[in-house]
Amino acid sequence: MPLTTVPAFARIGEENAFAVLARATELMRQGKDVINLGIGQPDFATPPHIVEAAIKALREGHHGYTPATGILPLREAIAADMNGRFGVEVSPDNVMVVPGGKVTMFMAILMFGEPGADILYPDPGFPIYRSMIEFTGARPIPVPIREENGFAFSAEETLALITPQTRLLILNSPANPTGGVTPASEIDKLVKGLEAHPHVAIMSDEIYAQMTYDNQVHRTLLAYPEIRDRLILLDGASKTYAMTGWRLGWSVWPKHLYDMARKLAVNSFSCTNAATQFAGIAALTGPQDAVRDMVAEFDKRRKIVVEGLNALPNVSCATPKGAFYAFPNISKTGWKAKKLASALLEDAGVATIGGPDFGVHGEGYIRLSYANSADNIRKALARMGEFLSRAKPQG
Ligand code: PLP
């Protein structure tokens, strides 16, 4: 008898950014000069005081399990940080520490996804949303994210997609892959409309909350008491503190879901790495200048990237308002997006991600991460320009 695994694995997806990273690394190993604008992680080192806090924790013997939901001082620091940044009340009893931002979406989608359920998610959007929705057997319902709307989600369009089968609505602002930031007025409108749909839970992925530009103010969904009993807030240290490899995320849950999240933790990872949690306390309670400096540097590069992309033949790029991604429109080049991304990597030595890797509405776009030096970004843009003027488009 052959082994039989559950059919859900025929439906689970992946993040192509990791495949592109592997291919870029392979090309570099072969001696090719590749500029990696594919990967979504800050190119900065974790600030030293955060690293030191983890080392100190290990030296002081924090080698054991912690509570499944995270150590209290970290949960207090997370609650205080949200209070400080947004003026919202968050109890440490509703805060759950998890190994990375992804874990919160994994848990939330597992809680609400099953055959017969619909889950709404942004498209183009972080690919794991759809992958996990499909894994649970729920029906993925894409909410189109449109360039003409500044890559913000539309409250009206989102609300129109809600049916009695809708269980969960996933939101993401500032957004990956578009860099879109949804204005507060649109979020007000959405929350107002959600009053008519009390059966819909909301997961707001705010992992890029501290990365906004042009004086855009991030509006957290936590600011709406009327939905707090059905809101799951996803955040973490990966992007803000340049800590992607540490695996440190956190979330805020309504009380009735919190215990389910705790049980999922106990049944899977037990707890987040102890030393990493101490690093998290240092990150949140220590000086924040490294965050400000990093965002200021991203802002400078953002301008270089947008200007450079708009100077390329048949390419146009809306100015991203948040995160560290540009999402240029390449539809007029005659190239299909994934073919272009692949050719740019193999032929021009520039790693990017094709828009369709973020959903069907990503066709006609590629994603560039500007988490790379200004010099490399300029070099990559020059290579792209040279490539586009010489290569025959593959539609
Ligand atoms: N949410 C969004 C929108 C992201 O872009 C990412 C990472 O790229 C994550 C969540 C996951 O973050 P983490 O690496 O902490 O799991």
Side-chain angles (χ1 to χ4, degrees):
M1 284 272 283
L3 291 178
T4 310
T5 54
V6 295
F9 283 94
R11 299 189 303 263
I12 199 164
E14 285 202 62
E15 236 192 298
N16 203 34
F18 283 98
V20 171
L21 178 63
R23 181 67 190 143
T25 309
E26 170 60 20
L27 289 170
M28 285 191 265
R29 205 186 54 76
Q30 293 169 11
K32 265 208 152 191
D33 174 18
V34 176
I35 301 171
N36 193 352
L37 305 184
I39 194 73
Q41 68 179 340
D43 56 318
F44 299 92
T46 305
H49 69 280
I50 300 176
V51 177
E52 287 307 320
I55 294 169
K56 182 163 176 281
L58 287 172
R59 292 228 163 92
E60 288 177 355
H62 294 287
H63 302 169
Y65 292 124
T66 77
T69 53
I71 55 176
L72 182 60
L74 176 55
R75 288 188 286 113
E76 285 172 343
I78 293 163
D81 173 64
M82 290 186 171
N83 180 264
R85 278 190 294 131
F86 306 129
V88 293
E89 278 308 316
V90 172
S91 161
D93 293 343
N94 293 71
V95 174
M96 169 103 196
V97 179
V98 286
K102 263 181 190 165
V103 180
T104 299
M105 69 184 76
F106 185 83
M107 289 178 164
I109 296 169
L110 278 186
M111 276 180 208
F112 292 99
E114 64 175 334
D118 286 358
I119 299 184
L120 270 56
Y121 70 101
D123 180 338
F126 190 55
I128 300 304
Y129 305 143
R130 184 184 175 105
S131 165
M132 273 306 297
I133 296 167
E134 301 217 75
F135 182 74
T136 65
R139 195 157 62 122
I141 309 287
V143 177
I145 304 296
R146 301 180 194 282
E147 182 179 355
E148 58 268 30
N149 203 23
F151 292 122
F153 57 76
S154 146
E156 198 182 331
E157 203 165 4
T158 306
L159 291 165
L161 289 167
I162 294 178
T163 69
Q165 284 71 48
T166 309
R167 288 272 187 81
L168 177 66
L169 164 63
I170 299 174
L171 303 172
N172 175 220
S173 174
N176 177 9
T178 59
V181 172
T182 302
S185 57
E186 201 63 21
I187 299 179
D188 287 349
K189 230 195 278 177
L190 179 75
V191 173
K192 186 101 205 69
L194 284 171
E195 278 172 31
H197 307 289
H199 62 294
V200 178
I202 303 125
M203 188 196 79
S204 183
D205 181 343
E206 302 185 13
I207 201 144
Y208 296 102
Q210 301 219 42
M211 295 178 173
T212 58
Y213 312 103
D214 299 337
N215 304 317
Q216 286 270 321
V217 179
H218 172 70
R219 170 65 65 92
T220 175
L221 270 285
L222 283 172
Y224 300 86
E226 58 272 47
I227 53 162
R228 283 289 284 274
D229 63 345
R230 52 188 167 123
L231 173 70
I232 302 154
L233 191 286
L234 180 161
D235 200 348
S238 294
K239 317 286 173 172
T240 314
Y241 297 103
M243 291 178 73
T244 50
W246 292 73
R247 307 316 295 145
L248 180 62
W250 48 80
S251 25
V252 182
W253 299 79
K255 202 68 214 151
H256 60 113
L257 300 179
Y258 189 81
D259 207 48
M260 290 168 64
R262 183 189 62 76
K263 284 182 181 157
L264 282 175
V266 170
N267 277 273
S268 51
F269 54 84
S270 297
C271 66
T272 300
N273 176 293
T276 292
Q277 294 192 51
F278 283 89
I281 298 173
L284 290 162
T285 60
Q288 301 297 303
D289 8 342
V291 180
R292 280 189 289 273
D293 292 351
M294 184 167 72
V295 175
E297 181 59 30
F298 281 145
D299 193 13
K300 278 192 212 149
R301 299 173 188 180
R302 178 178 73 115
K303 288 168 186 146
I304 299 169
V305 140
V306 171
E307 204 183 297
L309 285 168
N310 280 313
L312 296 181
N314 298 315
V315 174
S316 63
C317 183
T319 303
K321 295 277 194 283
F324 41 76
Y325 307 109
F327 204 58
N329 187 325
I330 53 92
S331 54
K332 293 207 175 88
T333 61
W335 282 87
K336 281 278 190 209
K338 284 191 61 123
K339 285 191 176 151
L340 178 59
S342 170
L344 283 173
L345 175 57
E346 302 291 333
D347 189 325
V350 180
T352 63
I353 314 279
D357 283 334
F358 303 96
V360 290
H361 295 281
E363 185 52 83
Y365 299 87
I366 58 172
R367 188 192 79 174
L368 281 74
S369 155
Y370 43 91
N372 207 321
S373 69
D375 277 355
N376 275 344
I377 291 169
R378 285 197 189 92
K379 223 194 294 176
L381 289 162
R383 288 184 190 181
M384 289 171 71
E386 186 276 327
F387 175 82
L388 284 170
S389 18
R390 118 176 103 79
K392 188 171 161 309
Q394 292 170 29

